[in-house]
Amino acid sequence: MNRSRIIRVRDVMDERFLEIDGLRTVKEALETIKAGGAAVPIIVRKRNENDEFGIVLLADIAKKVLARDRSPERVNVYEIMSKPVISIPPDMNVRYCARLFEQFGLSVAPVIEGGKILGMVGYQGLVLDGLLELYS
């Protein structure tokens, strides 16, 4: 066990994510996810250089569309997104990332460097990759 060893977020992030325009419908977003074969977070693109990224999780769709009996063909992604996103720098220590997740109730966050999304980090990567690597 080497507690001084540092595992960075970039080492455990998942480079798969879906980036779409906020004007797309929830149905279009779900069809794109399904075609890709994985339930990945949806990043909502910035509208311009002064805008911020948004994020939609499957939980948001379940709570804000399915549970409220709204039609996915009539709901735009921007209506249910969280914005701005809390982002993680790629060089952050996974221990601090886990603390940040706990403090703000996050389960997943984009890894952003220089205004560009590099990937996504979530508990799966933090625990299965980061924790196992840290204590091996």
Side-chain angles (χ1 to χ4, degrees):
M1 176 167 72
N2 185 356
R3 292 192 51 94
S4 63
R5 187 169 177 204
I6 296 175
I7 306 297
R8 307 272 180 206
V9 168
R10 77 170 60 253
D11 300 324
V12 302
M13 72 180 186
D14 186 348
E15 295 178 355
R16 297 175 303 150
F17 62 94
L18 172 62
E19 189 174 349
I20 65 173
D21 185 273
L23 292 175
R24 301 255 322 257
T25 66
V26 170
K27 181 181 181 189
E28 291 171 324
L30 291 172
E31 288 171 346
T32 305
I33 290 172
K34 198 169 181 181
V40 296
I42 302 168
I43 296 295
V44 181
R45 290 186 189 111
K46 294 179 177 185
R47 291 174 296 174
N48 58 54
E49 63 200 33
N50 297 312
D51 199 12
E52 296 298 328
F53 290 108
I55 191 168
V56 176
L57 305 176
L58 292 179
D60 296 320
I61 296 171
K63 293 173 187 175
K64 298 174 184 175
V65 180
L66 183 60
R68 295 182 183 171
D69 200 26
R70 297 176 72 191
S71 171
E73 296 94 358
R74 297 176 56 105
V75 178
N76 295 95
V77 170
Y78 77 85
E79 296 177 68
I80 63 167
M81 71 180 171
S82 297
K83 183 177 179 175
V85 297
I86 295 175
S87 63
I88 309 296
D91 291 325
M92 180 182 277
N93 184 325
V94 294
R95 287 183 177 105
Y96 294 126
C97 184
R99 290 177 192 171
L100 187 73
F101 275 27
E102 174 63 23
Q103 276 185 313
F104 291 99
L106 303 175
S107 60
V108 65
V111 179
I112 299 179
E113 184 174 53
K116 183 178 181 226
I117 299 176
L118 304 178
M120 302 296 289
V121 64
Y123 280 121
Q124 182 171 342
L126 292 173
V127 174
L128 294 181
D129 298 328
L131 187 64
L132 284 178
E133 180 69 24
L134 193 60
Y135 290 98
S136 62

